[in-house]
Amino acid sequence: MKVLLPVLLLLCSALPLFAEEAPIHLPGIKGEDDRTIVESLEWPWSAVVKVNRRTGGYCTGVLVAPDKVLTAAHCLWLSRTDHWLTPDALHVVVNYRRGDWTDDAPVVSYIMGPEPDLPREGENAKLPLDWAVLTVAKPLGEPIPLAAPGRETAGPDEAMMQAGFSQDARHVPTMNRACHVVAMVRGGKLFLHDCDAVNGDSGSPLMIASPDGSVRLVGIHSATVNQNGTMLGLAVSAQTLRAALGQ
């Protein structure tokens, strides 16, 4: 069945650090809220990081190399100035929990899907381009490897995990233990999923854990979409990210 993406997309934009109380119902919650708090500081949760913006707000990111963080490109766009943030406006924090953390580093450079010299609109805002790789000033820990070709989606007995810093729980990461790919779209460049992900979760990893304890990264959350009356998450796939990273 062909899946059509709606024209209107609810992007999970960078969230103010001290927002007002969250609304009763958040658009990214799909039915019952399945999120739980992640208390562990161990890998792979240590690879789920918080990307703070000096201008205010944050997004979620994931370590894909000891000194590289993958996040959503739209997190680097400052709407009030209509400009992309410079690297020195970004800071990555590891194992953030209730005002404490185990490590941190400033961002020294980044590459991204959109053209940084152009505004975030039109062709420069295509959803498969919604990724950015930040290089930080020092190694921050063990990364989560990108899924290999042929292993980008869940198998018959596999479910995905998602973890990020949601707007209504910004001081602790929350996770979905068992959500699913609903459909691959745009030729596999994107996929729809049913993980409960809201504002602040942009750039959060979608992962699959194997019985041997290994974890592979299959995508990053980008937006919430209304698909024929059903709210679903939209993610940039490992296929797209592999091509972007030259893997």
Side-chain angles (χ1 to χ4, degrees):
M1 179 178 69
K2 185 176 181 181
V3 179
L4 298 178
L5 292 179
V7 174
L8 179 61
L9 292 168
L10 301 176
L11 287 176
C12 296
S13 57
L15 189 71
L17 290 172
F18 301 101
E20 296 179 357
E21 184 177 352
I24 295 175
H25 178 74
L26 299 174
I29 304 302
K30 305 157 186 73
E32 184 177 350
D33 190 345
D34 296 318
R35 296 172 299 165
T36 58
I37 292 175
V38 180
E39 295 288 2
S40 173
L41 302 181
E42 302 301 317
W43 187 89
W45 314 117
S46 58
V48 181
V49 300
K50 198 171 189 180
V51 181
N52 288 326
R53 311 191 323 168
R54 187 181 63 193
T55 55
Y58 69 87
C59 276
T60 302
V62 56
L63 288 171
V64 290
D67 65 343
K68 295 190 185 301
V69 174
L70 179 65
T71 190
H74 74 257
C75 297
L76 279 57
W77 180 252
L78 188 59
S79 57
R80 68 172 178 262
T81 64
D82 286 339
H83 286 89
W84 297 99
L85 293 172
T86 55
D88 63 344
L90 302 166
H91 195 94
V92 173
V93 180
V94 179
N95 277 329
Y96 179 78
R97 301 289 191 284
R98 303 177 181 87
D100 197 9
W101 57 92
T102 60
D103 209 350
D104 66 285
V107 173
V108 295
S109 65
Y110 62 72
I111 60 172
M112 60 195 304
E115 171 54 58
D117 293 330
L118 298 175
R120 185 175 164 263
E121 60 186 23
E123 292 291 308
N124 210 36
K126 282 187 173 180
L127 291 169
L129 300 179
D130 195 20
W131 60 266
V133 179
L134 319 177
T135 299
V136 293
K138 66 177 184 178
L140 289 177
E142 182 180 356
I144 297 176
L146 198 61
R151 303 191 69 212
E152 295 99 333
T153 58
D157 300 318
E158 292 180 313
M160 291 192 304
M161 303 183 298
Q162 178 272 341
F165 290 91
S166 302
Q167 73 175 87
D168 54 341
R170 68 195 61 207
H171 294 296
V172 288
T174 60
M175 71 170 293
N176 291 267
R177 294 183 179 275
C179 46
H180 307 86
V181 174
V182 174
M184 303 300 292
V185 294
R186 303 282 179 89
K189 293 179 179 180
L190 304 166
F191 63 82
L192 294 165
H193 65 83
D194 62 5
C195 305
D196 290 326
V198 301
N199 282 4
D201 285 309
S202 289
S204 61
L206 294 148
M207 306 164 283
I208 296 176
S210 299
D212 63 4
S214 63
V215 176
R216 66 187 190 270
L217 179 66
V218 296
I220 56 168
H221 177 69
S222 171
T224 297
V225 301
N226 186 328
Q227 182 64 43
N228 299 323
T230 300
M231 302 305 290
L232 293 171
L234 186 68
V236 181
S237 71
Q239 173 186 315
T240 298
L241 298 170
R242 186 184 312 108
L245 299 174
Q247 297 185 13

